[in-house]
């Protein structure tokens, strides 16, 4: 089980462009199939997914231990729901890029350097969707978004980036009483995705403005 070695501010962080440039040099996994940045196990992860023209881009709170060919139950559910809704691939992305099996172990304060790199990664994902395809962004963070006060503000930054690419925000399953979009676990494999008004949701939280 991954436990952060400490606050991410104490760890050397590769910016996204550097991490992307360094990827693709080994043979640990099928690089024709997988997109994985950084492409080695470290304290943070920007992108994990499969390559395609029409991906379902799932947004969780923070990454855990999953790697190519070694998906956890959350990623297996994401993969099933993407396929069940007609997408040719999936990408697992996160509001905050620090790996922590337990969200309670995430940074107490936001690492601005890590967040900036994560937003650069998000732009990359959105810009590499196939021509003529509107990016499909699945909000799937559940109530875990309440774990840190900086997380809703990170989502607002993602929404702003998404507007540049015409991103369509989606949810799967019912929202919680507080309006949080359902986490991928415990959804049926054929659960349909539908539109999600992410700005109205953020406004309802009254934090992260």
């Amino acid at each position: 089980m991954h436990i952060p070695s400490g606050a991410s501010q104490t760890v050397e962080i590769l910016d996204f462009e550097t991490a992307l440039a360094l990827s693709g040099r080994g043979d640990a996994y099928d690089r024709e199939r997988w997109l994985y940045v950084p492409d080695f196990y470290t304290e943070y992860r920007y992108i994990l997914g499969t390559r395609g023209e029409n991906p379902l881009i799932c947004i969780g709170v923070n990454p855990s231990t999953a790697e190519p060919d070694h998906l956890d139950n959350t990623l297996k559910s994401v993969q099933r729901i993407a396929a069940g809704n007609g997408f040719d691939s999936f990408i697992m992305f996160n509001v905050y890029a620090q790996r922590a099996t337990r969200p309670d172990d995430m940074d107490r304060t936001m690492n601005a350097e890590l967040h900036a790199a994560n937003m650069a990664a998000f732009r990359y994902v959105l810009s590499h969707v196939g021509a003529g395809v509107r990016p499909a962004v699945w909000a799937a963070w559940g109530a875990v978004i309440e774990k840190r006060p900086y997380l809703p503000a990170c989502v607002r930054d993602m929404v702003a980036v998404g507007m540049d690419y015409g991103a369509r925000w989606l949810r799967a399953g019912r929202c919680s009483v507080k309006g949080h979009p359902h986490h991928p676990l415990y959804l049926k494999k054929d659960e349909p995705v539908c539109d999600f008004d992410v700005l109205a949701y953020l406004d309802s939280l009254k934090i992260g403005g």
Side-chain angles (χ1 to χ4, degrees):
M1 182 175 70
H2 179 85
I3 299 173
S5 60
S8 68
Q9 289 87 346
T10 67
V11 177
E12 181 180 1
I13 301 292
L14 289 177
D15 63 65
F16 174 71
E17 290 77 10
T18 301
L20 181 64
L22 292 174
S23 66
R25 300 184 180 185
D27 57 1
Y29 60 91
D30 182 358
R31 296 171 192 278
E32 296 297 317
R33 180 187 179 205
W34 292 100
L35 179 62
Y36 182 42
V37 185
D39 68 345
F40 56 90
Y41 195 93
T42 188
E43 293 280 303
Y44 55 94
R45 188 187 77 209
Y46 298 128
I47 303 170
L48 173 59
T50 52
R51 297 181 184 273
E53 294 294 307
N54 183 28
L56 179 58
I57 305 164
C58 180
I59 312 297
V61 165
N62 73 297
S64 183
T65 60
E67 299 177 280
D69 299 315
H70 298 284
L71 302 183
D72 57 22
N73 288 335
T74 295
L75 270 291
K76 289 176 182 177
S77 183
V78 171
Q79 188 174 43
R80 287 193 298 267
I81 291 170
N85 280 273
F87 294 91
D88 68 359
S89 53
F90 78 92
I91 291 176
M92 188 70 217
F93 203 83
N94 290 278
V95 176
Y96 196 64
Q98 183 188 28
R99 285 193 197 256
T101 305
R102 298 190 320 149
D104 286 336
D105 294 325
M106 279 192 296
D107 290 335
R108 294 289 175 181
T109 59
M110 187 187 76
N111 182 335
E113 178 185 7
L114 184 61
H115 176 59
N118 203 40
M119 293 302 96
F122 193 49
R123 283 190 176 277
Y124 175 86
V125 168
L126 297 179
S127 68
H128 282 73
V129 171
V133 178
R134 187 179 179 190
V137 182
W138 172 20
W141 46 75
V144 185
I145 199 76
E146 298 181 12
K147 289 290 183 178
R148 295 290 184 266
Y150 57 79
L151 292 172
C154 293
V155 176
R156 284 193 183 274
D157 289 345
M158 297 182 74
V159 172
V161 171
M163 287 179 177
D164 292 339
Y165 298 91
R168 175 190 177 196
W169 285 81
L170 307 167
R171 64 173 173 85
R174 294 183 178 181
C175 291
S176 72
V177 173
K178 292 185 177 181
H180 300 310
H182 204 294
H183 189 276
L185 283 178
Y186 312 120
L187 291 173
K188 297 181 294 183
K189 66 180 181 181
D190 59 349
E191 187 75 47
V193 294
C194 58
D195 289 331
F196 179 61
D197 189 339
V198 66
L199 286 175
Y201 161 77
L202 289 169
D203 288 344
S204 75
L205 296 181
K206 302 188 186 307
I207 55 176

